[in-house]
Amino acid sequence: MKKIITALLLTSSLAANATSAEFTAKQLQQVDEVRSAALKSPLSYELLESLTTEVGPRLPGTENDKKAVAWAKARFNELGFDKVWLEEATFPEWRRYSESGKILTPSEQPLHLTALGNSISTPKEGVTGSVVLFETLDELIAAPANSLKGKIAYINYRMNRNIDGNGYGPAVKARATGAIEAAKKGAIAYMMRSVSTAHHRFAHTGGSYYKEGVKKIPNVTIANPDADQIARLVALNKAVSVNINVQAQSLGEGIGYNVIGQFNGTENPEQYVLIGGHLDSWDLGTGALDDGAGVALTMAAAKHISDVKRPKRSIRVVLFAAEELGLWGAKAYFAKHKNDLHNIVAAAESDFGADVVYGFESNVDAASLPVVRAIAKELAPLNVEYIGKNQANGGPDLIPFKNAVSAPIFELAQDGTDYFDYHHTADDTLDKVTPAKLRQNTAAYAVFALMAADAKTTIKPKAATK
Amino acid sequence: MKKIITALLLTSSLAANATSAEFTAKQLQQVDEVRSAALKSPLSYELLESLTTEVGPRLPGTENDKKAVAWAKARFNELGFDKVWLEEATFPEWRRYSESGKILTPSEQPLHLTALGNSISTPKEGVTGSVVLFETLDELIAAPANSLKGKIAYINYRMNRNIDGNGYGPAVKARATGAIEAAKKGAIAYMMRSVSTAHHRFAHTGGSYYKEGVKKIPNVTIANPDADQIARLVALNKAVSVNINVQAQSLGEGIGYNVIGQFNGTENPEQYVLIGGHLDSWDLGTGALDDGAGVALTMAAAKHISDVKRPKRSIRVVLFAAEELGLWGAKAYFAKHKNDLHNIVAAAESDFGADVVYGFESNVDAASLPVVRAIAKELAPLNVEYIGKNQANGGPDLIPFKNAVSAPIFELAQDGTDYFDYHHTADDTLDKVTPAKLRQNTAAYAVFALMAADAKTTIKPKAATK
């Protein structure tokens, strides 16, 4: 917190003296104004509080999802965006109705579990079976054919804690495809340790998939303390049987909306900086970290810019639909704008919670690097370090754009040390967000978006290799 | 942690030089041996791991409660206690079958709640009503007659965090009697913010009561993040309605057992030091902090003493039954031993989690204070401070003894700063216990019990005033 306050004090003195080939002294003064205003403003927190309190969870296709779309549209208008519109996105709709579990032997006790998105239901009375423990997905894949007949496959892999969340990738494989591999061996249900760094009794949900031709089986995760308990029982050579009860349903194709607000540029309004987050969330928590924060802080960042000026190019805030079910809003946006993606001069998504931004990274054409460095210089007073490898990944909704090398991708890297304590759980609620940290994020996005939109040089993506 | 390790290193040098009118140099050498062994031994953690893993939750009257009694008896025998026996205790049996809740307006979202012990059920479809918020129990008591007709009364009071848990008392009043006061005003259900210091989405259960002649209404607590959400919605002037669904049952009189193990004294075996905890737990977690830790560490402390010597007086470990439902095991013990309570030379219960012991306090006759000070001196190397007001309260199961001034009461005060983050929740699980801290507790109990049992002077209670 101290660092942020120091940054605030340094801001005026630093920025006023800086100038570059890309920005005039006046422009840099405006950057300073925007940064200072964002660091002081309660706006992003107020937006987040409103979304998570008045709407709450926002599973795609639900009544709350529709309320969130209406909320976002109304807020864009209230904030004075020049253009506000919706773009349709379809997705495979799914609902969780109820879920519960228990360890039956050697001693009955509750099992804190949650169904993975897309899971089928168990029978009404649940599914009961003995647990076969694997430490990794690879171990499960290596199990003999039919060796899990009538059993419940369980993967005990625990993700590591890291500032950049790099423990997520290795753990999430088992979430995406574990049920398929378990079913191939004859398992009647699939259970895994949550993709989680927490020591709390929340199971973490997330996306999962079935495969044509492989039997669909119920697909759940359990909380870390429950996973520890199962592992201890197995280590004691106890026969562990559990009952899993999930009532859920796939509802076919659902319809949602990317909600988009834009402040128009003064010189090249067709060109734009794209910032945003995803408006949907899982159903368990209120989606404060994932991704209410990204929604609120990018809306607020654009508003803070507009209070000072309209830059040369437009600032477009895109609130993507149905990210959690498989980036459906992002795919729809990408498809719809296929022929004008070259208008995107910079794209950054905030979708990694609400802890401070510590790093800034680009993924752009070499000729654009001077602008990037000029932006990095103005992020430094916010304690944001320039990473400088020019290999930004961007947020999940930017994957289609990055894969196609069709937009300059940026990343404002957040401290994700604690993010996977809350991610996709009931515990992702507003109290996990520190207002001062959210303000620092807002200021970083505001500085980045303003400068990318107002630079002399138009930022370009790396040349596509295909 | 460092402090504990330092304590371990200091132990030998300090103790060997000390001597007093109460203890010979040889006795103090034995105290040192016991302390050192307890600080190194995995025994208390192993016992705790076994109880919470192999038995799990231990609600009085359940199958698991019976398993816990069998577990404790078997462990006492395995540890070589001279005498192991059971003493019956009855209690009002109660079961939780299911519980759930949701906020219905202005937007549907899950409400994390738990029934308080003794709560009646709602109808099958739950009870639905609009929420009337009171900041305190006193505010509810001051509400006009009939003003809550058809409503759900809600108390928003939040407990404070303190090392000695002194925020619990003011908060727990609303838990014990809130449903009675709400029913008097016509409320159809009673809901309160959990007695909790946590920022996690667990509701905290606990004991509650009804009153003859006042309608029984369903009685629940909600998690702190949910309480914050309700308070925000009320502050927004939103009409907040909720649905509460609790299925629970009172089953009449249940039977349980205090499980008792004793190492016999060599000179006055009828006199004894009483240490222990309560064997039962709430049903939500595995009762690691409340009170598996107290059970495990007092069993282990007695065992460590016995490995070095049998002191003059006996060491009796009492694992009380049905504490959570109203100290039923303690009351039964008190009644059964009414005529020989004078044989208790010191009593201390560990029932406040597993964080370090920081203070030592007595409640004894003035003539016994030299022994107390000699014990305090041997606790100092464990970083335990002598409080010295001679006003110890002791653990909950010692309340009958303290109220009757019929036993010398001791308190090994634990750091309870985080205790109410987990207390009475599903999150009270083994991973919340730090082995090194549990060892420090074990060593403190071992030093205390050995010295109280082996002192020249027989410790006496304060003279009863009645």
Side-chain angles (χ1 to χ4, degrees):
Chain A
M1 210 51 38
K2 255 185 202 162
K3 283 188 178 181
I4 294 170
I5 291 159
T6 313
L8 179 60
L9 298 172
L10 288 176
T11 296
S12 317
S13 53
L14 273 178
N17 301 328
T19 170
S20 77
E22 288 293 335
F23 299 97
T24 65
K26 184 171 174 201
Q27 281 179 305
L28 292 175
Q29 180 55 43
Q30 290 163 336
V31 170
D32 182 39
E33 277 175 52
V34 166
R35 185 175 42 206
S36 299
L39 275 177
K40 277 177 242 166
S41 170
L43 179 61
S44 52
Y45 191 82
E46 283 170 4
L47 289 167
L48 177 60
E49 180 172 352
S50 171
L51 176 63
T52 58
T53 304
E54 293 173 63
V55 179
R58 305 173 295 281
L59 189 69
T62 59
E63 205 49 42
N64 281 12
D65 187 31
K66 294 178 182 65
K67 285 185 184 177
V69 168
W71 175 92
K73 199 177 160 200
R75 286 300 181 286
F76 274 135
N77 283 319
E78 285 165 27
L79 293 172
F81 280 68
D82 297 325
K83 276 179 66 184
V84 180
W85 72 101
L86 307 185
E87 292 180 2
E88 191 178 290
T90 58
F91 52 86
E93 205 170 331
W94 177 84
R95 289 284 194 294
R96 177 195 326 273
Y97 299 125
S98 70
E99 52 196 18
S100 63
K102 43 193 170 183
I103 298 175
L104 298 171
T105 59
S107 205
E108 188 166 320
Q109 37 189 312
L111 188 59
H112 284 238
L113 61 75
T114 193
L116 287 169
N118 204 29
S119 175
I120 60 162
S121 293
T122 61
K124 263 193 185 166
E125 69 283 7
V127 57
T128 296
S130 61
V131 170
V132 182
L133 182 150
F134 302 93
E135 291 297 346
T136 62
L137 178 61
D138 287 343
E139 265 188 24
L140 166 60
I141 292 170
N146 291 317
S147 61
L148 298 178
K149 215 149 198 175
K151 313 274 189 185
I152 294 175
Y154 169 61
I155 292 185
N156 192 42
Y157 181 85
R158 184 171 179 130
M159 86 167 274
N160 293 322
R161 187 185 292 278
N162 274 300
I163 190 170
D164 65 356
N166 69 30
Y168 190 61
V172 91
K173 275 191 310 180
R175 196 183 78 194
T177 62
I180 299 166
E181 300 301 334
K184 283 184 193 168
K185 314 286 180 183
I188 53 172
Y190 174 69
M191 178 168 96
M192 63 180 280
R193 183 187 281 269
S194 289
V195 179
S196 166
T197 52
H199 288 275
H200 296 292
R201 216 152 170 212
F202 296 105
H204 296 232
T205 192
S208 74
Y209 307 93
Y210 294 117
K211 194 173 166 179
E212 194 75 33
V214 179
K215 191 172 163 30
K216 295 180 180 183
I217 57 175
N219 194 0
V220 303
T221 73
I222 58 176
N224 267 330
D226 298 76
D228 296 342
Q229 186 82 325
I230 298 254
R232 277 191 299 267
L233 287 168
V234 170
L236 284 165
N237 288 312
K238 302 280 178 185
V240 184
S241 71
V242 302
N243 175 271
I244 294 171
N245 195 317
V246 169
Q247 301 306 318
Q249 196 178 7
S250 287
L251 299 172
E253 188 178 89
I255 297 176
Y257 298 92
N258 295 325
V259 187
I260 305 169
Q262 180 168 299
F263 287 111
N264 296 329
T266 51
E267 292 182 14
N268 302 89
E270 76 291 355
Q271 294 182 346
Y272 63 96
V273 174
L274 187 164
I275 55 175
H278 62 85
L279 189 54
D280 67 307
S281 79
W282 284 105
D283 49 344
L284 301 174
T286 62
L289 296 170
D290 187 13
D291 182 28
V295 166
L297 74 93
T298 55
M299 290 174 90
K303 161 68 175 159
H304 294 311
I305 295 169
S306 78
D307 286 342
V308 172
K309 75 179 298 190
R310 292 283 188 285
K312 293 173 190 159
R313 303 173 193 85
S314 298
I315 310 267
R316 185 177 293 187
V317 179
V318 181
L319 307 180
F320 293 100
E323 188 270 348
E324 296 295 5
L325 301 183
L327 315 181
W328 295 97
K331 290 174 193 165
Y333 189 96
F334 184 80
K336 185 179 172 71
H337 296 275
K338 206 161 62 177
N339 298 324
D340 52 40
L341 293 175
H342 57 269
N343 282 330
I344 303 177
V345 302
E349 183 186 31
S350 170
D351 183 21
F352 203 52
D355 211 331
V356 291
V357 173
Y358 69 86
F360 176 60
E361 177 60 315
S362 62
N363 195 331
V364 302
D365 185 61
S368 307
L369 286 173
V371 189
V372 173
R373 285 192 288 265
I375 297 173
K377 205 170 163 186
E378 297 303 318
L379 289 170
L382 297 169
N383 287 296
V384 177
E385 191 187 2
Y386 178 40
I387 296 173
K389 293 181 180 166
N390 200 31
Q391 291 171 0
N393 277 310
D397 287 307
L398 300 182
I399 291 173
F401 304 81
K402 177 170 178 284
N403 287 348
V405 200
S406 48
I409 303 289
F410 287 84
E411 187 167 339
L412 285 87
Q414 287 173 281
D415 184 335
T417 309
D418 300 333
Y419 183 59
F420 293 102
D421 289 356
Y422 305 112
H423 182 248
H424 295 186
T425 69
D427 211 22
D428 177 1
T429 49
L430 182 63
D431 52 304
K432 309 310 180 301
V433 175
T434 306
K437 292 182 176 183
L438 190 66
R439 292 197 293 270
Q440 187 257 9
N441 274 267
T442 309
Y445 269 83
V447 165
F448 155 73
L450 167 57
M451 294 182 78
D454 218 24
K456 191 175 289 173
T457 302
T458 302
I459 303 171
K460 295 243 153 53
K462 281 180 185 165
T465 49
K466 51 181 179 178
Chain B
M1 211 53 36
K2 255 186 201 162
K3 281 189 178 177
I4 294 169
I5 290 158
T6 313
L8 180 60
L9 298 172
L10 288 176
T11 296
S12 317
S13 53
L14 273 179
N17 300 327
T19 169
S20 76
E22 288 293 334
F23 300 97
T24 66
K26 184 172 173 199
Q27 281 178 303
L28 292 176
Q29 181 54 43
Q30 290 163 336
V31 169
D32 181 40
E33 277 176 51
V34 166
R35 185 175 44 205
S36 300
L39 276 176
K40 279 177 240 166
S41 169
L43 179 61
S44 52
Y45 191 82
E46 283 170 3
L47 288 167
L48 177 60
E49 180 172 352
S50 171
L51 176 63
T52 59
T53 304
E54 293 173 64
V55 180
R58 306 172 294 282
L59 189 69
T62 59
E63 205 48 43
N64 281 13
D65 186 31
K66 294 177 182 64
K67 286 185 184 177
V69 168
W71 176 93
K73 200 178 159 198
R75 286 301 181 285
F76 274 135
N77 282 319
E78 284 165 28
L79 293 172
F81 279 68
D82 297 324
K83 275 178 68 184
V84 180
W85 72 101
L86 308 184
E87 292 179 2
E88 191 177 291
T90 57
F91 52 85
E93 205 169 332
W94 177 84
R95 289 285 194 292
R96 176 195 326 272
Y97 299 124
S98 70
E99 52 195 19
S100 63
K102 44 192 170 183
I103 297 174
L104 298 172
T105 59
S107 205
E108 189 167 319
Q109 37 189 312
L111 188 60
H112 285 240
L113 60 76
T114 193
L116 287 168
N118 204 29
S119 176
I120 60 162
S121 293
T122 61
K124 262 191 183 167
E125 68 283 8
V127 57
T128 297
S130 61
V131 170
V132 182
L133 183 149
F134 301 95
E135 290 297 346
T136 62
L137 178 61
D138 287 344
E139 265 189 23
L140 166 60
I141 292 171
N146 291 317
S147 61
L148 299 177
K149 216 148 198 172
K151 313 276 188 183
I152 294 175
Y154 168 61
I155 292 185
N156 191 42
Y157 181 85
R158 184 170 179 130
M159 85 167 274
N160 293 321
R161 188 184 293 277
N162 274 299
I163 189 170
D164 66 355
N166 70 30
Y168 190 62
V172 90
K173 274 191 309 179
R175 194 182 81 195
T177 62
I180 300 167
E181 300 302 335
K184 282 185 192 168
K185 315 286 182 184
I188 53 173
Y190 174 70
M191 179 168 97
M192 61 180 280
R193 183 187 282 267
S194 288
V195 179
S196 167
T197 52
H199 288 273
H200 296 293
R201 216 149 170 214
F202 296 105
H204 297 233
T205 191
S208 73
Y209 306 93
Y210 293 118
K211 193 172 166 180
E212 194 74 33
V214 179
K215 192 170 162 31
K216 295 180 180 184
I217 58 175
N219 193 0
V220 304
T221 73
I222 58 176
N224 266 330
D226 298 75
D228 296 343
Q229 186 81 326
I230 297 252
R232 277 190 300 267
L233 287 168
V234 169
L236 284 165
N237 287 313
K238 302 280 179 185
V240 184
S241 70
V242 302
N243 175 270
I244 295 171
N245 195 317
V246 169
Q247 302 303 319
Q249 197 177 6
S250 287
L251 299 172
E253 188 178 89
I255 296 175
Y257 298 92
N258 295 325
V259 187
I260 305 169
Q262 180 167 300
F263 287 110
N264 296 329
T266 51
E267 292 182 14
N268 302 90
E270 77 290 356
Q271 294 183 347
Y272 64 96
V273 172
L274 187 164
I275 57 175
H278 63 85
L279 188 55
D280 67 306
S281 78
W282 283 105
D283 49 344
L284 300 174
T286 62
L289 297 170
D290 186 12
D291 181 25
V295 165
L297 76 92
T298 54
M299 290 174 91
K303 162 69 174 158
H304 293 312
I305 295 169
S306 79
D307 286 342
V308 172
K309 74 178 300 189
R310 293 282 188 286
K312 291 173 192 161
R313 303 172 192 85
S314 298
I315 309 268
R316 184 177 294 186
V317 179
V318 181
L319 307 179
F320 293 101
E323 188 269 349
E324 296 295 5
L325 300 184
L327 316 181
W328 296 97
K331 289 176 195 165
Y333 189 96
F334 184 81
K336 185 179 172 71
H337 294 275
K338 206 160 62 174
N339 297 324
D340 53 41
L341 293 175
H342 56 270
N343 282 330
I344 303 178
V345 302
E349 183 186 29
S350 171
D351 182 22
F352 203 53
D355 211 330
V356 290
V357 173
Y358 70 85
F360 176 61
E361 177 60 314
S362 61
N363 195 331
V364 302
D365 186 61
S368 307
L369 287 174
V371 188
V372 173
R373 284 191 289 264
I375 297 172
K377 204 169 165 187
E378 297 305 316
L379 289 170
L382 296 168
N383 287 298
V384 176
E385 191 188 1
Y386 178 41
I387 297 173
K389 292 181 179 165
N390 201 32
Q391 291 171 357
N393 277 311
D397 287 306
L398 300 182
I399 290 173
F401 304 81
K402 177 170 179 284
N403 288 349
V405 200
S406 48
I409 304 290
F410 286 84
E411 187 167 338
L412 285 87
Q414 287 172 281
D415 184 335
T417 308
D418 300 333
Y419 184 60
F420 293 102
D421 288 357
Y422 305 112
H423 181 249
H424 295 186
T425 70
D427 211 22
D428 177 1
T429 50
L430 182 63
D431 53 303
K432 309 310 180 302
V433 176
T434 306
K437 291 181 177 183
L438 190 66
R439 292 197 293 272
Q440 186 256 10
N441 274 267
T442 309
Y445 268 84
V447 166
F448 156 70
L450 167 56
M451 294 183 79
D454 218 24
K456 190 175 290 174
T457 302
T458 302
I459 303 172
K460 295 243 154 52
K462 281 180 183 163
T465 48
K466 49 182 180 175

